[in-house]
Amino acid sequence: MLTATGKSIVSGIAVGNIKIFRKPDRSISDAPAEDPAAEVKRFEEAVEAVIEQQNDLYEKAVEEAGEDNAAIFQVHAMMMEDDDLLDAVKDCINDEGHNAEYAVRQGFEEVAHMFEEMDNEYMRARSADIRDLENATLDVLMGIDPDGIQGTEPAILVAEDLAPSETISLDKSLILGIVTRGGSATSHTAILARTMNIPTVIQCQEIDDSWDGMTAVVDGYNSSVYVNPTAEILKVMLERQEQDQKEAALLEDLKGKESITVDGTKVKVYANIGGPEDVEAVLENDAEGVGLFRSEFVYLNTKGNPPTEEEQFNAYKDVLEALAPRQVVIRTCDIGADKQVDYMNLDHEDNPALGFRAIRICLTRKDFFKTQLRALLRASAYGNLAIMFPMIISVRELVSARELLEECRKELEQEGIPTGPMEVGIMIETPAAVMIADELAEHCDFFSIGTNDLTQYTLAIDRQNDKLDPFLDTHHPAVLKEIEATVEAGHRHGIWVGICGELGADRDLTEQFLRIGVDELSVNPKATLPLRKVVRGLDLSLPEKVEEENFR
């Protein structure tokens, strides 16, 4: 047996076979084509295979996501029949003597660059479609099976690291546990793992490709991975897994009960989600609402171009209708930093966390932003919607965002499209926002404190840099004082204040949060019932049982 250690992100026990997640190697040789005619034939056969693949994806998407969401695959199939694209590749083979793989790379990139140089934003976005098709064609030529990357059987997924876009595209029903060599506790991959409640260990340096196919146990309680466990270890781990299942069954008794302390203090216990696929978890765990719908994952789920107004409207409407009358707080697009999509064509930045992201993108690409705002306003007619703007650092930004929202509302009224009432708030996730919280509160219905970024910016610690984990103190007095100051400012202006970052699920801080007046805690769905249990066991009329005050 091999015991490997790392840092636990999600407690629990996972038992199963290991599947090594290997990104496809598309390294291409510039070796000349010995038989150009044969290379052209290989390319033509690959084109036919990709067209068939895109048509199959279209049929699957129609069933799972509807006609509008599936249309992109029809567009891809038509693109693969474009004469300019096909001729660019064939000329590279016939005239320049290159092999099919090299010609595909050159030909598709040439066409992609042509789209990028166009004035029309929609046409520029097509460059990402071309690159998607380039990779699909190379996969056929090089014998890469995209489905083989994850496999088709439930397994413990082991990887160097996972980008948010990779994590979101995985079939979560096949993931028993996650182990990565890299990663940080506050990365969005870690957040997704918590949302899925999958036992996860990161920063496991002993990872080795030879583990592929071996039986293993992910021990999220002890930050360990046991590869080829002994019979004794396996027995102990299975017993602990069974104990977890029994404890989860006991929490079922809390469903339908209020999140209220012994002395009568109520707090809203909401859930954080990434999209419609998480609604079932919200309902299963009896969350009282959604405090953070990360709408950027609707963007990460869309290949080739941004989601249309109709696609977004359907996604938001589905969630609102399924959860009504529960409140659903949707954060507007927070693309940037560690959440990148090719079609946004964002420039490389040396320090993206401090760069062009979130509201900064939206206020400078107003057509892009208005597409989402229109979709949100349309969806507001179907449930209890609230929206919040991320990364606000000034009153000017907040006022500009609200003016665009009102502009969209008036457009929809003129078009005869109904909208509903909704609260509008902001994320408090920078020290600047904390410092001017009183001024911001005058233009808001609520604050939601994003403790992950607030901690990052307050402590000057990059949340994506695992080397800084030894210096990270999530209970740092400065962060806790900022939370208290934000709550006080919000209440002075009669608005409610919640926490939607990871600290909301930190049950060591629950009592302190309730004592300073936090109105709402939004956590991953699986954490809602354990948090409700803690809340219902508190009596705030009694002196606080702490040796040292966290907030002063």
Side-chain angles (χ1 to χ4, degrees), residues 307-320:
T308 64
E309 179 183 323
E310 200 65 26
E311 289 170 339
Q312 293 190 61
F313 164 67
N314 286 326
Y316 307 145
K317 174 176 172 285
D318 287 349
V319 172
L320 287 164

Side-chain angles (χ1 to χ4, degrees), residues 475 502-513 526-535 538:
H475 292 198
E502 293 304 309
L503 284 189
D506 189 333
R507 297 195 288 275
D508 290 336
L509 293 176
T510 302
E511 181 177 351
Q512 288 95 315
F513 287 153
K526 290 287 187 180
T528 55
L529 291 176
L531 182 58
R532 182 175 298 165
K533 180 180 179 182
V534 172
V535 169
L538 294 174

Side-chain angles (χ1 to χ4, degrees), residues 377-395:
L377 285 163
R378 289 173 58 192
S380 67
Y382 295 87
N384 184 2
L385 172 65
I387 69 168
M388 59 182 177
F389 304 120
M391 284 297 291
I392 294 289
I393 63 168
S394 71
V395 172

Side-chain angles (χ1 to χ4, degrees), residues 207-467:
I207 285 176
D208 192 281
D209 282 355
S210 65
W211 293 5
D212 201 25
M214 292 184 178
T215 300
V217 175
V218 178
D219 180 357
Y221 295 106
N222 296 300
S223 302
S224 298
V225 182
Y226 311 113
V227 183
N228 280 342
T230 63
E232 183 179 357
I233 287 289
L234 189 59
K235 179 175 180 292
V236 170
M237 291 294 104
L238 289 173
E239 288 174 350
R240 182 59 193 270
Q241 191 178 56
E242 183 179 357
Q243 179 184 342
D244 288 347
Q245 292 166 353
K246 290 179 179 178
E247 291 176 359
L250 291 175
L251 291 174
E252 293 288 311
D253 292 338
L254 293 176
K255 289 185 177 181
K257 296 182 178 178
E258 288 186 300
S259 299
I260 184 171
T261 63
V262 174
D263 60 293
T265 300
K266 292 183 180 181
V267 63
K268 295 181 286 188
V269 176
Y270 282 6
N272 298 332
I273 66 172
E277 66 276 6
D278 296 326
V279 165
E280 185 178 350
V282 175
L283 296 171
E284 282 180 358
N285 293 280
D286 196 38
E288 295 159 47
V290 169
L292 173 60
F293 179 148
R294 300 182 180 93
S295 71
E296 57 271 17
F297 289 108
V298 176
Y299 292 77
L300 290 170
N301 265 331
T302 304
K303 303 297 184 183
N305 50 274
T308 64
E309 179 183 323
E310 200 65 26
E311 289 170 339
Q312 293 190 61
F313 164 67
N314 286 326
Y316 307 145
K317 174 176 172 285
D318 287 349
V319 172
L320 287 164
E321 287 186 322
L323 294 178
R326 296 174 176 86
Q327 185 177 53
V328 176
V329 182
I330 300 181
R331 176 173 68 190
T332 59
C333 184
D334 191 14
I335 288 293
D338 64 324
K339 292 166 289 187
Q340 298 286 336
V341 287
D342 290 340
Y343 57 73
M344 292 296 291
N345 297 315
L346 300 177
D347 294 333
H348 170 76
E349 295 179 297
D350 291 335
N351 198 341
L354 299 180
F356 193 51
R357 59 172 293 198
I359 200 67
R360 298 166 184 176
I361 292 176
C362 291
L363 290 178
T364 51
R365 300 187 181 185
K366 293 184 179 180
D367 288 343
F368 169 84
F369 193 24
K370 286 180 66 176
T371 297
Q372 180 173 39
L373 295 179
R374 284 175 57 91
L376 288 166
L377 285 163
R378 289 173 58 192
S380 67
Y382 295 87
N384 184 2
L385 172 65
I387 69 168
M388 59 182 177
F389 304 120
M391 284 297 291
I392 294 289
I393 63 168
S394 71
V395 172
R396 174 180 56 83
E397 291 173 342
L398 174 54
V399 170
S400 295
R402 294 204 67 146
E403 286 175 347
L404 276 177
L405 180 65
E406 186 58 28
E407 181 182 320
C408 291
R409 186 186 295 276
K410 290 178 179 178
E411 288 178 1
L412 291 169
E413 287 177 357
Q414 292 171 356
E415 296 168 22
I417 299 175
T419 63
M422 64 181 178
E423 291 187 318
V424 178
I426 64 169
M427 297 276 287
I428 299 289
E429 47 194 338
T430 67
V434 175
M435 295 294 289
I436 62 167
D438 281 291
E439 292 91 332
L440 292 169
E442 294 177 3
H443 303 274
C444 289
D445 298 309
F446 67 93
F447 286 154
S448 187
I449 304 172
T451 56
N452 302 336
D453 271 332
L454 183 60
T455 301
Q456 169 176 244
Y457 296 128
T458 300
L459 304 185
I461 287 181
D462 181 358
R463 60 189 282 193
Q464 300 300 317
N465 189 341
D466 55 9
K467 293 180 181 178

Side-chain angles (χ1 to χ4, degrees), residues 460-498:
I461 287 181
D462 181 358
R463 60 189 282 193
Q464 300 300 317
N465 189 341
D466 55 9
K467 293 180 181 178
L468 298 178
D469 279 3
F471 302 96
L472 178 63
D473 177 8
T474 58
H475 292 198
H476 195 288
V479 176
L480 299 178
K481 287 178 180 179
E482 287 175 322
I483 293 171
E484 183 176 28
T486 300
V487 174
E488 290 174 348
H491 289 177
R492 276 195 294 272
H493 294 268
I495 67 174
W496 63 268
V497 183

